[in-house]
């Protein structure tokens, strides 16, 4: 314990309380704590006995981190994690402030941390993860990442820092053979997760992975999976989990390999799990979380505890979350990038009877909407936010009727909520991240992102 650490914790906590009262500013307390004690984050995390598991990828980080933390807790371990959105150094430091002692000691067995792709290399060097889980590499924020190849290079560097385990999505063009393209360590166990071809191939737009041009790497789906999605019905998925001990050096397939993927057998345990919402992407997140728990826990891993943990897990807010406002259910669908919007549209079982869309400057270049298949919608009741007219124009070209466009978010939201309750289903809001945060606060849901939300 140092005087500087104590000062960082006390001041950071005071700022955190003030931020919570205002309903915002979740990263500010951590930023201030790190200014007072620059080594606070690194030193605290380094003292955790079972080390760090880093979760990264273009989409699904918050949901999968939430799932994995629940599964590890179900096995009896004390987990420190950063709630959704707090995936930069200051966000993780903010999360620490609510759990450390005044002297900076954290009572946890393991840290499971969502890691931002752009900061991944820096955070990996700082936190030295034992295990890395990479979910996908997809078309993302064009203003920030430009091309998927750039993200692939970032995450390859993060993967190379893992010492014990590396878990990869075999359905992803960039990840299916990433283990063969990074430095090999004899102690690192590499394993994969994925879905049965019968589920992946019929998907309207696949799993929305970015294409890997000019490369003859392994074919997506060609690696044997430690955990595989074998059935999917609504928000319930069936996972087949390998019983056998992980191979520390699985054989890499030759370029273009089309080896058949094994189905459930006596070597697998089949379980059913509850997902946060509909969609193959959520099922793959669950498979990734289970595969990582299996890697981390080894002989302690119990598949039945995966079902137990996920069946009682609260949804990470904004990601298929169901809010109740004035006795009426409203589903929140967040669109972070082209892949997340497309996958969520594909998962709709029918066109919503009432749908509202809000997008602002948090999506600085929405030109990618011209590549999105909006056929899952037959109308939009209202659009708001500073980018509303870009979306309205796109819907106009598609012949999808738009009820109204109002740049005043509060007025547009009030008009949408005033619509009669749908005859079937529930109201649906499709929001970008910033609008999701703002509208939740307007509706009275003021939990801080990265500061205590479930």
């Amino acid at each position: 314990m140092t005087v500087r650490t104590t000062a960082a914790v006390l001041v950071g906590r005071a700022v955190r309380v003030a931020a919570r009262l205002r309903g915002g500013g979740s990263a500010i307390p951590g930023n201030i704590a790190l200014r007072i004690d620059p080594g606070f984050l690194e030193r605290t995390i380094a003292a955790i006995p079972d080390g760090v598991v880093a979760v990264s990828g273009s989409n699904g980080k918050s949901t999968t981190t939430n799932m994995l933390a629940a599964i590890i807790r179900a096995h009896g371990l004390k987990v420190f994690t950063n709630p959704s959105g707090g995936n930069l150094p200051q966000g993780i430091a903010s999360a620490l402030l609510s759990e450390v002692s005044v002297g900076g000691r954290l009572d946890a067995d393991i840290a499971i941390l969502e890691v931002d792709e752009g900061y991944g290399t820096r955070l990996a060097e700082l936190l030295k993860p034992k295990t890395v889980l990479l979910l996908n590499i997809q078309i993302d924020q064009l203003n920030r990442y430009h091309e998927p190849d750039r993200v692939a290079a970032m995450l390859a560097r993060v993967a190379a820092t893992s010492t014990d385990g590396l878990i990869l999505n075999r359905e992803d063009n960039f990840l299916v053979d990433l283990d063969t393209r990074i430095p090999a360590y004899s102690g690192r166990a590499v394993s994969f997760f994925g879905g049965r071809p019968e589920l992946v191939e019929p998907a309207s737009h696949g799993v929305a992975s970015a294409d890997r041009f000019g490369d003859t790497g392994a074919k997506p789906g060609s690696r044997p999976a430690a955990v595989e999605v074998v059935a999917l019905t609504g928000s319930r998925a069936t996972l087949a989990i390998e019983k056998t001990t992980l191979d520390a050096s699985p054989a890499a397939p030759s370029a273009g390999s089309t080896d058949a993927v094994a189905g459930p057998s006596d070597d697998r345990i089949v379980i059913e799990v509850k997902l946060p919402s509909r969609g193959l992407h959520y099922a793959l997140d669950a498979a990734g979380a289970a595969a990582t728990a299996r890697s981390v826990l080894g002989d302690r891993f119990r598949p039945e505890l995966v079902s137990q943990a996920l069946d009682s897990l609260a949804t990470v807010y904004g990601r298929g979350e169901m809010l109740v406002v004035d006795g009426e259910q409203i589903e929140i669908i967040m669109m972070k990038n082209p892949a997340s919007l497309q996958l969520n549209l594909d998962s709709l079982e029918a066109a919503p009877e009432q749908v509202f869309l809000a997008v602002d400057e948090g999506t600085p270049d929405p030109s990618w909407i011209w590549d999105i298949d909006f056929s899952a919608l037959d109308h939009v009741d209202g659009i708001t936010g500073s980018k509303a007219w870009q979306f309205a124009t796109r819907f106009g070209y598609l012949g999808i009727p738009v009820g109204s466009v109002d740049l005043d978010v509060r007025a547009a939201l009030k008009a949408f909520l005033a619509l009669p309750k749908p005859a079937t289903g529930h109201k649906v809001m499709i929001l970008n991240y910033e609008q999701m945060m703002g509208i939740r606060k307007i509706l009275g849901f003021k939990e801080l992102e990265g500061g205590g939300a479930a």
Side-chain angles (χ1 to χ4, degrees):
M1 182 181 84
T2 67
V3 173
R4 178 171 288 185
T5 300
T6 300
V9 173
L10 292 176
V11 174
R13 282 181 178 173
V15 174
R16 189 171 184 273
V17 170
R20 290 182 71 86
L21 291 174
R22 291 179 59 251
S26 64
I28 295 174
N31 194 22
I32 291 175
L34 291 175
R35 285 179 178 272
I36 296 171
D37 182 5
F40 167 64
L41 175 60
E42 181 179 11
R43 191 169 55 251
T44 304
I45 295 296
I48 297 175
D50 290 339
V52 173
V53 178
V55 179
S56 197
S58 298
N59 286 305
K61 296 185 292 295
S62 296
T63 295
T64 307
T65 299
N66 191 40
M67 290 177 171
L68 179 55
I71 294 168
I72 298 295
R73 286 189 180 112
H75 283 80
L77 276 70
K78 290 179 286 187
V79 176
F80 167 71
T81 188
N82 50 332
S84 63
N87 56 17
L88 302 179
Q90 58 269 31
I92 298 172
S94 287
L96 275 174
L97 289 171
S98 65
E99 299 195 28
V100 295
S101 68
V102 174
R105 179 170 296 180
L106 181 65
D107 183 21
D109 298 313
I110 190 170
I112 299 171
L113 302 177
E114 174 187 340
V115 172
D116 176 83
E117 311 92 287
Y119 279 77
T121 303
R122 177 184 168 191
L123 277 169
E125 292 171 351
L126 187 72
L127 305 178
K128 300 176 176 59
K130 288 185 177 182
T131 302
V132 171
L133 164 62
L134 299 182
L135 296 166
N136 45 58
I137 296 174
Q138 299 172 333
I139 302 294
D140 204 345
Q141 302 167 59
L142 303 180
N143 60 301
R144 186 179 181 201
Y145 296 122
H146 314 305
E147 294 292 342
D149 301 75
R150 185 180 181 198
V151 178
M154 293 173 181
L155 294 184
R157 291 194 290 271
V158 174
T161 66
S162 65
T163 57
D164 290 9
L166 177 61
I167 297 87
L168 303 170
N169 180 358
R170 72 160 186 210
E171 312 303 340
D172 189 281
N173 293 282
F174 287 94
L175 299 180
V176 63
D177 61 353
L178 180 64
D179 57 315
T180 69
R181 295 182 282 113
I182 61 175
Y185 297 119
S186 60
R188 180 199 289 141
V190 181
S191 56
F192 292 84
F193 65 95
R196 296 201 77 179
E198 296 92 326
L199 295 176
V200 175
E201 291 169 5
S204 301
H205 300 89
V207 290
S209 294
D211 290 330
R212 183 175 160 191
F213 295 108
D215 195 288
T216 57
K219 180 181 177 181
S222 61
R223 306 297 292 274
V227 180
E228 185 179 48
V229 183
V230 297
L232 180 63
T233 304
S235 59
R236 305 289 300 185
T238 303
L239 307 181
I241 303 176
E242 289 282 1
K243 292 180 183 177
T244 54
T245 303
L246 291 172
D247 183 351
S249 302
S254 59
S257 170
T258 56
D259 293 343
V261 179
S265 69
D266 291 341
D267 293 330
R268 295 188 174 196
I269 297 174
V270 177
I271 63 170
E272 186 176 300
V273 298
K274 173 179 169 288
L275 304 176
S277 190
R278 311 160 305 272
L280 179 59
H281 52 310
Y282 282 116
L284 288 172
D285 290 344
T292 306
R294 180 178 181 273
S295 176
V296 169
L297 296 167
D299 291 341
R300 295 175 291 171
F301 178 67
R302 297 291 178 268
E304 66 274 12
L305 295 181
V306 175
S307 295
Q308 178 181 309
L310 299 190
D311 279 356
S312 59
L313 186 62
T315 302
V316 176
Y317 61 93
R319 286 82 171 175
E321 179 187 28
M322 197 73 72
L323 299 179
V324 177
V325 179
D326 294 332
E328 187 173 355
Q329 287 191 323
I330 302 174
E331 182 178 2
I332 304 295
I333 295 175
M334 190 175 76
M335 55 171 170
K336 176 188 171 191
N337 50 34
S340 68
L341 176 56
Q342 189 66 73
L343 289 168
N344 282 317
L345 288 173
D346 291 348
S347 71
L348 291 172
E349 295 171 346
E353 184 177 327
Q354 293 179 4
V355 61
F356 176 82
L357 195 145
V359 190
D360 62 10
E361 297 302 323
T363 305
D365 177 9
S367 60
W368 50 262
I369 64 174
W370 293 84
D371 289 328
I372 298 296
D373 177 1
F374 284 101
S375 60
L377 304 179
D378 58 12
H379 79 289
V380 176
D381 292 285
I383 311 177
T384 189
S386 58
K387 301 294 185 181
W389 282 110
Q390 283 92 327
F391 278 78
T393 300
R394 176 63 178 131
F395 292 138
Y397 274 97
L398 290 170
I400 296 176
V402 174
S404 65
V405 177
D406 189 341
L407 301 189
D408 184 330
V409 175
R410 288 181 178 271
L413 179 62
K414 183 178 180 180
F416 179 66
L417 294 177
L419 293 175
K421 188 174 181 180
T424 59
H426 48 261
K427 286 181 167 66
V428 172
M429 293 185 184
I430 302 174
L431 316 171
N432 72 344
Y433 178 86
E434 289 73 15
Q435 284 293 307
M436 180 270 291
M437 292 292 292
I439 285 175
R440 288 183 90 262
K441 290 176 185 176
I442 292 172
L443 294 176
F445 300 89
K446 297 185 177 180
E447 308 96 308
L448 281 173
E449 182 83 11

